[in-house]
Amino acid sequence: MKRIVPLSLLLALCIGCSSTKTVLENTTSKVSDPTKYMNTITADELKTHLYIVASDEMEGRETGSAGQKKAGVYLINQYKKNNIPFPKGATSFYQHIPASYLNAKRNKNLQDSENIWAFIEGSEKPNEIVVVSAHYDHVGVNNGEIFNGADDDGSGTVALLEIAEAFEIAKKEGHGPKRSILFLHVTGEEHGLHGSRYYSENPLFPLANTITDINIDMIGRRDEANANSNNYVYVIGADRLSSDLDNICTEVNKKYTNLKLDYKYNDPKDPNRFYERSDHYNFAKHGIPSVFLFNGVHADYHKESDTPDKIEYDALTKRTQFAFVTAWELANRENRPVVDKK
């Protein structure tokens, strides 16, 4: 016999079930599963890009140098190839930064430089912006040795190219993001986070409309603490301003990538102070929920031996995919991450 359940009990059951839903169910059911697009991010493409971005031809990508500008042209040409435009309201792929700004705090005789930006407009909430950032500068040439900066931060630089391409493929198939995504390659990180600071002081889109920054800085190697496996990433800052952002990182990883999320460097008392040392910080200090993805420091950090052949492309791929699905969730969920912490 079929049991008839009272309406009041049904309502109570529904309320109870809804309270146990994960944060991912905040996304509408009409959004396609991102797995197909996540898998367009491949080790082969990342490797191809990185062997160019971190080649000797780029001369270590010192801020404002000819080598950095060559790298910038390569990035822009990739966006053009994939029909990904510069942002609305901009006149080119460049946000120009004068030498006077770059040298104002500590004069290192840096030349004029540029942030580089690309943009995928959202279909439903185009005025709300998800920023995905990485710095494309490095430290140049020292004593005749080229510091290629393959991991720092060639790895994050090429990750942005692949993430943008994955979103554009999704858009062509009718699954473009609901919010807009700004892919921001910043300059001057190595000299004091200058490019991201300049953007935060001269934003193309109001900071009030910027819902999150996902910052990628060194995701192609492993550190000594993880000598036995590269299936991890350090997650820094996700919970500093928003429990929503922290939950999103946890849930998308559990569903799609299954990395070990390591919060060692997220401790505010950590003496390395990595939270303050990369470009997400110039968003976070303005109250924008931000997360920094990082593989930790290794023996080739800031040395001429940080070359593309040392990169572990399986790890670079998986971490890039994690950044992509995190951005996907943020761009498509119903509500922006709540700022519920100081």
Side-chain angles (χ1 to χ4, degrees), residues 147-297:
F147 285 58
N148 300 96
D151 194 26
D152 186 13
D153 184 28
S155 60
T157 300
V158 301
L160 261 61
L161 293 178
E162 284 290 287
I163 293 168
E165 183 181 18
F167 271 109
E168 183 61 21
I169 292 169
K171 185 175 181 178
K172 287 177 182 176
E173 296 186 358
H175 301 295
K178 293 183 176 182
R179 292 180 175 85
S180 297
I181 305 176
L182 178 68
F183 300 96
L184 186 63
H185 299 266
V186 292
T187 187
E189 190 271 354
E190 298 287 7
H191 295 286
L193 314 184
H194 294 324
S196 56
R197 179 167 54 87
Y198 187 85
Y199 180 85
S200 72
E201 294 172 2
N202 303 273
L204 185 61
F205 304 102
L207 294 184
N209 292 356
T210 301
I211 72 160
T212 313
D213 174 43
I214 301 169
N215 185 52
I216 307 171
D217 191 351
M218 296 177 60
I219 59 165
R221 296 282 296 273
R222 72 178 81 182
D223 62 6
E224 289 185 5
N226 293 278
N228 296 324
S229 175
N230 62 19
N231 191 52
Y232 75 95
V233 68
Y234 291 110
V235 177
I236 303 173
D239 66 347
R240 296 289 184 99
L241 295 172
S242 173
S243 56
D244 275 350
L245 178 57
D246 188 45
N247 290 335
I248 288 166
C249 291
T250 300
E251 292 292 338
V252 297
N253 178 62
K254 186 184 299 181
K255 188 169 184 179
Y256 299 112
T257 48
N258 293 305
L259 288 160
K260 173 190 172 185
L261 303 186
D262 195 322
Y263 295 88
K264 173 183 177 180
Y265 296 122
N266 192 48
D267 184 348
K269 296 180 181 179
D270 179 70
N272 294 286
R273 297 179 63 83
F274 287 125
Y275 181 67
E276 292 86 4
R277 288 173 56 184
S278 194
D279 293 295
H280 61 283
Y281 187 66
N282 282 316
F283 291 90
K285 72 182 185 182
H286 289 283
I288 297 169
S290 303
V291 59
F292 169 25
L293 305 181
F294 178 52
N295 58 214
V297 174

Side-chain angles (χ1 to χ4, degrees), residues 47 50-51 148 150 221 305-313:
K47 186 174 184 178
L50 189 54
Y51 265 83
N148 300 96
R221 296 282 296 273
S305 49
D306 182 9
T307 50
D309 58 296
K310 303 278 186 71
I311 296 296
E312 298 181 56
Y313 288 94

